[in-house]
Amino acid sequence: MKQYLDKIKAAKTLDQLEELRVALLGKKGVLTEKMKALGKLDPEERKTAGLALNVEKQKITQALDEKKSELSLIEMNAKLAGEKLDLTLPVNQGAKKGTLTPMTHVMMEIAAIFSSMGFEMAEGPDIDDVYHNFDALNIPEHHPARERNASFFLEDSEFMLRTETSTVQIHKMEKTGAPVKIFVPGRVYRVDLDATHVPMFHQCEGLVVGEKITLQHLLGTLKTFIESYFEMDNVPVRMRQHFFPFTEPSFEIDTCYEKKDGKLVIGKGDNWMELLGAGMVHPNVLKNCGIDPEKYQGFAFGMGVERFIMAKYGITDMRKLFEGDVRWLRHYGFPANEVPTRAEGLS
Ligand code: DAH
C-alpha cells in the first residue's frame, strides 16, 4: 500500500491524480479487483482480508482527497497569478476630450459677470400662458406677436412657448415684489427660419426694481456688462430711442465695429451694431405685479445670446451653433475646465 500512497504524494497535477484514482479505485482499479477477489476466499479469510482492504481503501481515498485539495489550491493560485491585472500600464494619452459648446460657455460667462455685479439668477417656464407672455407685459391686444403664425401656441389652450425671457420679470415680481435684481438666461421660441433666424434661440433678460432707480443705473450697468463681456475698456455704446411695450422710455443699445480680414472687431470703426433692447420698466407692468410705481422704478433689458457669441468669437453662421458638428466644436468649443471670469476683476 505504501507504494500507492507514495505515488499519490508524488502527483504533480490534478490530471495525474485522477489517473491514479482510476487506476486504484476505478471499475478495473487495483483495489476494486482485490475486492472482487474476496469472493473466492473462504468466509474466515474473507472477513480479515475484507477488513484490511477496507482500511487500505479508506487510507487511499483520504490521501487522494487531501492531495486533491492541495493541488487544486496550487492550480488556482497559479491561475490567479497568471490573470493578475497590470495596473502600471500607461493610460491612453491619445483619448480626445469633449468641449463645451460656445452657447454653454457664453451662458457661463454672462452668469459670472452679472453675479459679480450682485444680480441673482432667475428662471421661468419655457411653456407659459398668454397672460405672462403678453398681457402682463403691457403688450397690446392687436400686437403682431400675438398672431397665430408668429408664435407657437399650444392647441386650444392659453399656453404657448414663450417668445421672450421677459415673462420671468412677471413671475419674479409676482412672487417677491420689490426690490428685484435678477438676470434670466433661457430659451425662447418664434416662428422664424432663415439664414439669420432659427425657431429656438437664447436670451438673457435683466430686471432691477428699487427706489430711485434711474436711466443712469441702466446705462452704467449695461456699459459695465458690455466692456466686461468683450474684455475691453471704453467700448463705445450708443443708446437709440426705440419702442417696447413693457418699457418707457425704451432703447436699443448699439456698439461700433469694423471688419478686418473678414473678421468682426468690436469697439472700433464707424459701423454700429444693435446689441440689446432696454428701457425703464413701464408703470403698467409694475402695477400688474402689485408693485406701486409711485414708490418703485426699475430698468430692464434683454439680449440675444447668439448675437453676443457671434460678435465675440467670430462665428458668422448662427446655424452652426445648433448643428452639433464635432469637427466644428473641436475648433470653436471651449475646454470644460476653463471657468470664464473676466468678471473677477469687477468690483
Ligand atoms: N423682450 C425683448 C425682445 O425679445 C427684449 C427686451 C427689450 C427685453 C427691452 C427687455 C427690455 O426687458 O426692457 O426683443
Side-chain angles (χ1 to χ4, degrees):
M1 179 173 83
K2 180 152 183 317
Q3 78 191 85
Y4 301 142
L5 292 177
D6 286 347
K7 273 191 182 165
I8 290 171
K9 248 190 199 163
K12 290 256 170 344
T13 65
L14 285 171
D15 286 345
Q16 277 177 17
L17 194 68
E18 179 60 12
E19 269 171 36
L20 273 172
R21 191 193 63 79
V22 173
L24 295 168
L25 303 175
K27 260 191 197 158
K28 291 185 178 158
V30 183
L31 291 188
T32 319
E33 292 299 333
K34 278 191 189 173
M35 284 288 196
K36 280 185 200 160
L38 286 178
K40 291 178 193 147
L41 300 175
D42 62 54
E44 256 329 286
E45 271 178 331
R46 193 190 304 160
K47 207 173 168 188
T48 33
L51 270 176
L53 203 54
N54 264 333
V55 172
E56 191 177 354
K57 197 178 164 187
Q58 256 176 26
K59 283 198 170 154
I60 285 173
T61 307
Q62 196 187 346
L64 280 169
D65 285 348
E66 280 171 12
K67 193 69 187 176
K68 191 173 178 183
S69 316
E70 185 191 320
L71 287 175
S72 300
L73 197 68
I74 289 170
E75 288 198 5
M76 191 169 76
N77 281 338
K79 203 170 164 210
L80 283 177
E83 285 175 356
K84 209 163 102 183
L85 283 179
D86 182 359
L87 298 176
T88 63
L89 268 180
V91 292
N92 183 1
Q93 302 286 358
K96 286 205 172 77
K97 280 192 189 148
T99 56
L100 295 180
T101 64
M103 177 56 67
T104 305
H105 180 85
V106 165
M107 281 296 199
M108 282 160 65
E109 270 187 287
I110 291 175
I113 296 169
F114 282 122
S115 302
S116 79
M117 292 166 81
F119 283 73
E120 195 186 322
M121 187 168 110
E123 285 179 300
D126 286 28
I127 298 173
D128 213 330
D129 51 31
V130 170
Y131 175 77
H132 285 87
N133 201 89
F134 296 128
D135 303 332
L137 283 165
N138 200 39
I139 295 176
E141 212 173 305
H142 299 292
H143 193 280
R146 293 200 187 228
E147 295 296 328
R148 294 263 142 189
N149 58 3
S151 307
F152 293 103
F153 292 92
L154 273 68
E155 245 174 314
D156 300 327
S157 86
E158 272 299 282
F159 292 98
M160 60 183 295
L161 295 178
R162 67 178 175 198
T163 56
E164 52 196 359
T165 43
S166 310
T167 51
V168 185
Q169 291 188 20
I170 306 299
H171 285 291
K172 173 67 182 170
M173 288 190 284
E174 280 175 342
K175 214 163 147 194
T176 66
V180 169
K181 191 174 177 184
I182 53 166
F183 70 99
V184 185
R187 294 191 177 101
V188 298
Y189 308 84
R190 292 180 196 176
V191 182
D192 242 341
L193 187 59
D194 60 39
T196 51
H197 294 89
V198 283
M200 185 281 295
F201 57 101
H202 299 74
Q203 286 189 334
C204 184
E205 188 84 8
L207 174 70
V208 175
V209 177
E211 289 182 62
K212 303 196 181 74
I213 296 289
T214 70
L215 209 51
Q216 276 303 320
H217 294 119
L218 164 60
L219 189 57
T221 301
L222 291 181
K223 223 174 133 47
T224 309
F225 170 73
I226 290 166
E227 290 182 352
S228 191
Y229 176 75
F230 287 108
E231 302 180 33
M232 260 183 246
D233 293 324
N234 304 317
V235 180
V237 168
R238 177 172 83 174
M239 289 177 92
R240 194 164 29 79
Q241 199 162 0
H242 197 73
F243 173 80
F244 294 109
F246 28 88
T247 43
E248 182 58 35
S250 302
F251 304 91
E252 277 190 334
I253 313 274
D254 305 336
T255 188
C256 63
Y257 71 94
E258 64 181 12
K259 276 203 168 154
K260 220 178 178 183
D261 309 327
K263 273 196 173 170
L264 214 66
V265 183
I266 299 289
K268 287 186 188 144
D270 325 316
N271 311 301
W272 291 91
M273 163 201 295
E274 177 212 324
L275 279 181
L276 38 75
M280 299 306 289
V281 181
H282 196 291
N284 287 349
V285 174
L286 294 173
K287 271 190 239 163
N288 290 339
C289 302
I291 293 175
D292 178 3
E294 297 297 327
K295 187 168 178 212
Y296 291 102
Q297 303 77 43
F299 69 80
F301 54 87
M303 65 189 83
V305 180
E306 281 79 2
R307 178 181 294 255
F308 270 77
I309 297 176
M310 291 164 82
K312 182 167 174 180
Y313 295 107
I315 294 165
T316 46
D317 186 347
M318 190 194 284
R319 288 167 294 191
K320 291 281 174 212
L321 290 167
F322 304 101
E323 279 171 0
D325 182 333
V326 175
R327 291 158 303 178
W328 186 86
L329 282 171
R330 252 178 227 141
H331 180 77
Y332 285 100
F334 291 84
N337 55 0
E338 193 178 282
V339 181
T341 49
R342 162 114 194 285
E344 277 166 11
L346 294 172
S347 52

